[in-house]
Amino acid sequence: MSREMLQLAEALASEKNVDTEVVFQALEFALSTAAKKKANREHMDVRVEIDRDTGEYRTFRRWLIVADEDYTYPDVEKTIEEIQEEIPGTEIQIGEYYEEQLENEGFGRQAAQTAKQIILQRIRDAEREQILNEFLARKEDIVSGTVKRVERHGIIVEVVSGKLDALIPRDQMIPRENFRSGDRIRALLLRVDEIGSTGRKQVILSRTDKNFLAKLYAMEVPEIEDGSLEIRAVARDPGQRAKVAVKANDQRIDPQGTCIGVRGSRVNAVSNELSGERIDVVLWSPETAQFVINALSPAEVTRIVIDEDKHAVDVVVAEDQLALAIGRGGQNVRLASDLTEWQLNIMTVAEADERNEAEDEAIRKLFTEHLNIDEETADILLQEGFATLEEVAYVPAAELLEIDGFDEEIVEVLRNRARDAILTLAIASEEKLEDVADDLRSLEGLDTEMLRDLAQAGIITRDDLAELAVDELIEITGVTEEEAKKVILAAREHWFTESN
């Protein structure tokens, strides 16, 4: 048996072009599996050790040494106390294995067949692993292959002829694309996943990832490859429309013209690969305002207002540009927002003026009520850029003294009234905060400042918050759209839990 074992290992290694050690490991696993079946103890931990020089092998049963409180599986575990009783003076530690040698079983035809199947499977896995490693070593971002079959969960693509398959999951496929067996296909190497507990690996490809478009462009535009031109950002609505922000590192290069190509040759080549996806090439800019204007092309922007705290930009356009700026189904503004990584709020000139007037009226009311001044004086503060009580109370007195008609006495009175008002409002705010229900206080995602804003608006229970729309929460607290959605979903979660 020992000579046959060595001959079998060498023959299989040579036939399958894998290392002999892989075959020995497969044989050991097969023999241990067959031994467990022979003993009718599937959960028993058996280890087989083959001598690489002689072919002789030994069979061991082993137990993992665990602490008494962790003892769960008697077939494969022993406590440290049990071992010390069985073998007094042993130095074995928790986490190590205790082994007992068993007699090597003589395996029958069925056991031998099982061993053979396991060996062949292990060798196939080793071959696949070797092919995969060679494939990954080429470091190809764009993978070309042949459609092997189309399944419900995606497309199986043969990327190494007859040896390695990859998967394009359904959510990584461009909508309404149709492929049949035998079609050539290109996709981005997205990742390598492990399949369950088998240890096998699956190559995952994507045709919807932003980087797929960027890598296709790099293949079409040599200037990107040599570094004189770079793609700074990509936003995609796969199969429909995309925006690409480009920047020239060589001032002699026209980045847009270079990416579009003569008569659109370059942009069309990329578009055709993406099932006709329409691609807007825009100029990247380090200036937020200019980048937003470029990203919203072809719409013309009248003016913009940047709110750094909310990471949002109010974009004002003429009435006849509104539909173009928003795009069909909000596509243009959505892609521009994704490209610039800013929340973009599109409005007409009339809407902007109306909102500004409403904001001015709110500030005017704040000043007249809490500073005890008339509307004329409140308007003067507004025109000078003052918008909060804190600004009136704490900006340097010299700034207030520069206003026509303001002397030291008026400035001192205004500053004192502003400080008193801030204190009074803070006390009132804390009192309202006490009315907030416990179910709202304990909701994940809400901090004290948000709770205070909600209480000020009369939102004091979890259900009150759950009934708000996203834009209402944004208006009350000033959080981002993503944060608002997360908080509202958390507030509504108990509705669905209770209904089930």
Side-chain angles (χ1 to χ4, degrees):
M1 178 66 180
S2 58
R3 186 182 303 169
E4 292 175 358
M5 186 78 73
L6 292 175
Q7 289 173 347
L8 176 62
E10 290 174 1
L12 286 171
S14 175
E15 178 187 346
K16 299 298 182 180
N17 191 30
V18 295
D19 192 85
T20 309
E21 181 61 26
V22 173
V23 178
F24 275 121
Q25 291 174 2
L27 282 167
E28 288 172 339
F29 181 79
L31 291 169
S32 67
T33 301
K36 286 191 286 185
K37 286 188 176 181
K38 184 74 175 180
N40 198 25
R41 299 289 292 276
E42 290 293 330
H43 299 296
M44 185 170 66
D45 189 356
V46 174
R47 182 178 73 87
V48 173
E49 182 182 280
I50 301 175
D51 189 300
R52 273 42 170 177
D53 296 322
T54 66
E56 298 289 344
Y57 70 93
R58 295 186 298 168
T59 307
F60 300 89
R61 181 179 180 182
R62 64 180 191 168
W63 290 265
L64 176 65
I65 307 305
V66 298
D68 186 57
E69 61 269 19
D70 297 326
Y71 182 65
T72 309
Y73 307 106
D75 276 347
V76 293
E77 294 176 344
K78 283 183 181 290
T79 66
I80 192 72
E81 290 80 6
E82 285 180 309
I83 287 295
Q84 288 170 347
E85 287 178 7
E86 293 175 13
I87 314 173
T90 182
E91 296 182 359
I92 197 166
Q93 302 293 322
I94 291 174
E96 297 178 347
Y97 283 94
Y98 167 68
E99 295 186 335
E100 287 183 358
Q101 187 170 350
L102 305 176
E103 287 188 13
N104 293 334
E105 295 285 348
F107 301 115
R109 182 181 300 174
Q110 185 175 356
Q113 184 65 26
T114 300
K116 182 179 179 182
Q117 290 173 357
I118 293 172
I119 290 168
L120 293 176
Q121 184 59 51
R122 280 294 186 92
I123 290 172
R124 281 195 294 270
D125 290 344
E127 285 181 315
R128 190 180 294 108
E129 184 78 15
Q130 185 173 331
I131 293 167
L132 175 61
N133 290 337
E134 290 173 356
F135 169 74
L136 296 176
R138 298 204 297 261
K139 296 183 178 179
E140 296 177 351
D141 294 312
I142 300 294
V143 177
S144 297
T146 304
V147 175
K148 193 171 184 178
R149 61 183 180 275
V150 179
E151 299 181 345
R152 180 180 298 177
H153 66 287
I155 297 176
I156 305 299
V157 181
E158 192 176 89
V159 294
V160 177
S161 183
K163 295 181 179 180
L164 182 64
D165 292 343
L167 170 68
I168 305 180
R170 184 66 58 180
D171 63 354
Q172 297 297 326
M173 294 167 55
I174 295 175
R176 295 180 294 281
E177 269 192 328
N178 291 312
F179 286 98
R180 294 178 293 181
S181 296
D183 287 349
R184 294 292 296 172
I185 191 170
R186 287 199 293 180
L188 177 79
L189 176 57
L190 190 63
R191 62 179 185 273
V192 178
D193 286 347
E194 284 200 7
I195 305 175
S197 59
T198 63
R200 291 184 58 186
K201 295 179 179 178
Q202 174 72 69
V203 176
I204 304 296
L205 307 179
S206 172
R207 286 179 56 79
T208 61
D209 194 273
K210 296 177 184 180
N211 282 330
F212 183 42
L213 187 152
K215 297 297 181 182
L216 286 173
Y217 244 121
M219 295 171 66
E220 291 292 334
V221 182
E223 290 81 359
I224 295 176
E225 189 68 28
D226 66 26
S228 55
L229 180 68
E230 63 178 302
I231 293 177
R232 294 300 301 262
V234 176
R236 288 186 68 188
D237 195 345
Q240 296 185 37
R241 190 174 177 186
K243 287 180 180 286
V244 181
V246 295
K247 172 181 178 289
N249 295 323
D250 185 335
Q251 298 304 315
R252 296 171 296 179
I253 292 178
D254 169 18
Q256 284 179 296
T258 302
C259 286
I260 293 171
V262 179
R263 296 188 180 88
S265 58
R266 289 176 170 177
V267 72
N268 288 338
V270 177
S271 177
N272 291 338
E273 177 61 49
L274 301 175
S275 295
E277 191 169 311
R278 176 186 163 193
I279 301 171
D280 298 336
V281 180
V282 302
L283 283 174
W284 178 84
S285 173
E287 301 295 332
T288 299
Q290 188 59 55
F291 190 22
V292 168
I293 291 171
N294 296 346
L296 283 167
S297 176
E300 296 179 4
V301 176
T302 301
R303 66 177 185 268
I304 66 173
V305 179
I306 299 173
D307 188 331
E308 295 281 357
D309 293 334
K310 295 181 181 179
H311 202 70
V313 179
D314 291 339
V315 182
V316 182
V317 298
E319 187 73 40
D320 61 354
Q321 293 292 307
L322 182 62
L324 194 59
I326 295 173
R328 183 180 300 175
Q331 188 182 67
N332 191 57
V333 66
R334 185 174 65 252
L335 289 175
S337 181
D338 189 16
L339 190 74
T340 60
E341 297 183 341
W342 283 79
Q343 180 183 327
L344 305 183
N345 306 313
I346 307 294
M347 62 190 74
T348 63
V349 174
E351 289 171 338
D353 291 344
E354 184 179 338
R355 195 177 77 164
N356 290 340
E357 181 55 39
E359 290 175 353
D360 287 350
E361 181 57 35
I363 296 170
R364 187 181 294 111
K365 184 177 179 181
L366 177 74
F367 288 163
T368 55
E369 287 185 358
H370 295 287
L371 297 180
N372 194 24
I373 57 177
D374 55 29
E375 288 192 1
E376 183 179 351
T377 306
D379 284 337
I380 292 173
L381 289 171
L382 258 173
Q383 291 166 10
E384 294 294 330
F386 290 88
T388 66
L389 294 173
E390 285 77 9
E391 289 175 348
V392 177
Y394 301 114
V395 297
E399 291 189 26
L400 286 166
L401 287 170
E402 290 178 359
I403 301 174
D404 288 342
F406 280 26
D407 56 24
E408 290 186 4
E409 183 180 352
I410 293 175
V411 168
E412 188 63 24
V413 168
L414 289 176
R415 287 164 67 84
N416 287 336
R417 288 177 182 176
R419 289 167 183 165
D420 290 343
I422 291 169
L423 181 59
T424 301
L425 290 172
I427 293 171
S429 178
E430 290 301 321
E431 289 175 350
K432 286 188 177 182
L433 195 57
E434 293 175 3
D435 295 333
V436 174
D438 290 340
D439 63 351
L440 185 59
R441 290 178 184 274
S442 60
L443 191 66
E444 186 176 352
L446 292 180
D447 56 24
T448 304
E449 196 62 36
M450 290 177 68
L451 285 171
R452 188 175 285 110
D453 291 338
L454 290 169
Q456 196 72 26
I459 310 300
I460 59 174
T461 69
R462 183 173 180 174
D463 284 333
D464 289 342
L465 175 57
E467 290 171 357
L468 288 179
V470 171
D471 57 346
E472 290 177 321
L473 182 57
I474 293 172
E475 185 176 351
I476 292 170
T477 63
V479 296
T480 65
E481 183 176 356
E482 184 178 348
E483 290 172 325
K485 286 179 179 177
K486 185 182 294 185
V487 168
I488 289 176
L489 283 175
R492 293 174 180 173
E493 186 177 357
H494 71 294
W495 289 353
F496 307 108
T497 305
E498 292 168 1
S499 63
N500 291 333

